[in-house]
Amino acid sequence: MLASSEHLIPFLTATAIFAIMPGPALLFSASQTMTHGRAKALMAAAGLHIGGMLHVLAAALGLSTIFNYVPELYTAVKIAGAIYLIWLGINIIRASNATSPMVINGGKSAPRLFSEGVIVEVLNPKTALFFIAFLPQFVDPAMGPVWLQLLLLGWFVNVAFTLADVVAICFTSKVVSSLNKSHIKTRLLRFTGGGILVGLGAHLAISK
């Protein structure tokens, strides 16, 4: 079973609340939709999902707790993730300022966006700390192996988060498609998407 009846309703409620709260993953997904279109943004979201599952696996195996004992490692991973986000955003902004016209669905390949999604999520240590702080609250040792419960609960949370990312992508795509696809507006969308990534990276770098 996923969780005991005593824990199931609070778990589902908390998961739903966290899933719909605007966060880095939702903003990252929206920015990818603005700059690369819906199909490629969905590939980036799939990368986020795989990165999230790696964090879930690490939490289930107890590996993520290392961040609590080695704060220097947490800081190093956080800074690396921040630099990567800022680098991605700057590249998008530079592309939006290029003299040659660029269509919104051009640019990076879907596999590259998938890999970027994985890297962005893996290099966010706050995701690891979230899982090791959130999941154990709903574990009942009487229900079976703790590691298996953590894995199943984390999988469910990650799926919920991914569904929220997909909704954000579809909504952003609807908004983008309603705009007149002029070169100026296309460049503005790419500039906005890149700015979001730079902002996310800066926030990650200065946050505690």
Side-chain angles (χ1 to χ4, degrees), residues 68-82:
N68 289 327
Y69 298 104
V70 188
E72 294 82 6
L73 179 61
Y74 173 87
T75 301
V77 173
K78 183 183 73 169
I79 295 301

Side-chain angles (χ1 to χ4, degrees), residues 17-198:
I17 292 173
F18 280 121
I20 63 176
M21 287 176 59
L26 288 178
L27 292 175
F28 177 80
S29 298
S31 73
Q32 296 305 300
T33 310
M34 293 179 191
T35 55
H36 301 292
R38 182 173 62 182
K40 290 183 178 180
L42 289 172
M43 287 299 295
L48 291 175
H49 178 79
I50 296 302
M53 281 308 303
L54 292 176
H55 279 299
V56 170
L57 183 60
L61 298 178
L63 300 179
S64 297
T65 56
I66 190 174
F67 288 124
N68 289 327
Y69 298 104
V70 188
E72 294 82 6
L73 179 61
Y74 173 87
T75 301
V77 173
K78 183 183 73 169
I79 295 301
I83 292 173
Y84 187 67
L85 279 170
I86 293 172
W87 177 74
L88 290 176
I90 290 175
N91 280 343
I92 292 174
I93 292 172
R94 290 177 61 190
S96 71
N97 290 327
T99 54
S100 59
M102 299 181 68
V103 294
I104 196 165
N105 287 319
K108 299 176 182 178
S109 66
R112 181 175 175 182
L113 288 171
F114 173 82
S115 64
E116 287 181 356
V118 175
I119 294 172
V120 165
E121 189 68 4
V122 167
L123 290 181
N124 185 2
K126 287 191 172 184
T127 303
L129 294 183
F130 167 78
F131 281 122
I132 64 176
F134 178 68
L135 298 180
Q137 301 179 56
F138 306 99
V139 169
D140 183 356
M143 297 293 295
V146 170
W147 70 268
L148 183 57
Q149 291 184 63
L150 290 172
L151 190 62
L152 292 175
L153 290 170
W155 172 82
F156 185 89
V157 171
N158 200 40
V159 168
F161 287 2
T162 301
L163 290 177
D165 293 341
V166 171
V167 171
I169 289 170
C170 292
F171 176 77
T172 306
S173 178
K174 285 286 186 181
V175 174
V176 171
S177 63
S178 67
L179 300 175
N180 181 21
K181 297 285 196 313
S182 67
H183 292 324
I184 294 177
K185 289 184 177 179
T186 298
R187 291 174 64 182
L188 179 60
L189 284 171
R190 297 181 70 88
F191 186 88
T192 302
I196 290 174
L197 294 187
V198 172

